[in-house]
Amino acid sequence: LSATIRQHPIEVIKQLMRNGVMANVNEVIDFETAAKLTADFGIEAKPQPVRSAAQKKKRPDQEYLKHLPLRPPVVTIMGHVDHGKTRLLDAIRQTHVMESEAGGITQHIGAYQVEVKGQKITFLDTPGHEAFTAMRARGARATDITILVVAADDGIMPQTLEAIDHARAAEVPIIVAVNKIDKPGANPDRVKQQLADQGLVIEEWGGDTIAVGTSAKDGIGIDELLENILLVAEIEDLHADPGASATGVVIEAEMDKNRGAMTTVLIQNGTLKVGDIVVVGNVFGKIKAMFNDQNKQIRKAEPSTPAAILGLPAVPNVGDTLTVATNERQARLQISERAEKKTATVTLSSLHEQIASGSVKELNIILKTDVQGSIEPIRTSLEKLTTEKLSVHIIHAGTGNVTENDVMLAIASSGLVIGFSTGIETGAQRLADAEKIDIRQYDIIYNLVEEVDKALKGLLEPEI
Ligand code: GDP
């Protein structure tokens, strides 16, 4: 209905609520209700004969999912340094988590859950797009929704732009928290304008970006922010099967002096139980004990729940995936199978072949330049190279040296990095070498564009 009347689903749900209908995004509403709703938007509805089942498009995977229970959304907070990410995470935790009785000290295990109106939300504790993309680079998609924190007295800054691009590359919806509205110099309207310049047009201006004014310091807007997370979660329609064999992703891992390897996993599907044999990255072990975000011992963990597990012989990497094996032999088999499954990276010299074989349909480019003024001409010239077989996307552009973050984004998006009159940080080069990410450097726009063009056509001279 929302698509037909060209209104954002959130607007439709809100209007239904105003009319006293508590509907979710998948609700079937009758003609009367729909007609009243469209009338509220100035559109007259007429009944149409029902189409036969055969005429309806079938989406088998979604059909299957629809019968499974909803799972809590997993949220990551991103934004520029000092805009209040950590304080916001603390404010949410303080107001919505029941602290454990013993002195109110809750151990941080890398994520925590809050309950809002009887529904759970999981927050990842490590703020920032760096952690987010590092996980994606390892193949893990842990986040459902991003909260972009922008300080109202400072506005959009370079890392805000980076965060937007990283969230977009992952196709994760963004909710904006315009923070520090308590400060005398706060100018939320300026932030909203800057967001609109980035294509994030807020709802009150006719767009579909939700922005909430917050003060992490005074606890203002926190409830509204949480309610909007639930709203977006509903639209995202997040299901999981608690009855399945558990899968998860490592969000924190460390060596505990007394207990050994402590690994926090976020359960993505299924239910993890004490006694399960799990394969995590390239190690496996039997789960001896599990703890929740309240440091309480638990026997099982369901989808979207963070759980600290004991029983692995070594500390795995953040972003490693967890699966359950029926026995040790199968666990070993899983590890060897995983080692073989490495996705091919995109390089300029192999590009033509990859296009021809159909393995690459998009060329994702991370562009770094010395000055802001170079970005637009290069972006325009590169995007013009788009053909029927391959579309060229600049998924992130910024000034300064090529950083580790840029390479991470290239890994996560199967892209390559182009530097224009700029250097490469040592760590970035090391990571690129290890992960076989192509970093190309140019000083003349013409050469840059010509080389990419040649690569697309398979005319590039082989590298010596
Ligand atoms: P992060 O780097 O994004 O994690 O930022 P922090 O959460 O560490 O906050 C940076 C500084 O801004 C700290 O001194 C916070 O106390 C302060 N701060 C955070 N949120 C607010 C807010 O809503 N109002 C005010 N006045 N200060 C805030």
Side-chain angles (χ1 to χ4, degrees), residues 80-87 179-180 182-183 214-217:
H80 196 72
V81 64
D82 278 346
H83 279 195
K85 298 182 291 293
T86 311
R87 188 117 190 213
N179 193 35
K180 305 199 187 185
D182 60 282
K183 285 187 114 179
T214 60
S215 166
K217 178 171 151 274

Side-chain angles (χ1 to χ4, degrees), residues 238-265:
L238 310 164
H239 297 267
D241 182 1
S245 158
T247 57
V249 54
V250 176
I251 53 173
E252 203 166 275
E254 58 176 26
M255 194 46 96
D256 185 286
K257 274 195 297 287
N258 306 315
R259 300 195 274 192
M262 275 281 274
T263 307
T264 304
V265 290

Side-chain angles (χ1 to χ4, degrees), residues 56-66:
K56 285 182 190 160
K57 251 199 196 157
K58 271 197 186 151
R59 304 263 300 269
D61 47 4
Q62 292 214 328
E63 283 299 311
Y64 159 73
L65 274 174
K66 252 205 312 220

Side-chain angles (χ1 to χ4, degrees), residues 431-446:
L431 183 64
D433 291 343
E435 299 286 336
K436 301 198 171 55
I437 291 295
D438 202 0
I439 305 182
R440 296 274 171 152
Q441 287 174 292
Y442 303 92
D443 292 310
I444 298 166
I445 295 186
Y446 177 80

Side-chain angles (χ1 to χ4, degrees), residues 160-205:
T160 320
L161 294 175
E162 253 186 63
I164 294 172
D165 287 344
H166 282 236
R168 276 194 178 140
E171 294 176 6
V172 172
I174 297 172
I175 297 176
V176 184
V178 182
N179 193 35
K180 305 199 187 185
I181 52 166
D182 60 282
K183 285 187 114 179
N187 187 350
D189 276 338
R190 189 173 70 110
V191 174
K192 289 171 189 170
Q193 184 55 57
Q194 291 174 330
L195 288 169
D197 294 343
Q198 298 304 320
L200 294 171
V201 182
I202 58 157
E203 287 185 306
E204 45 178 309
W205 293 357

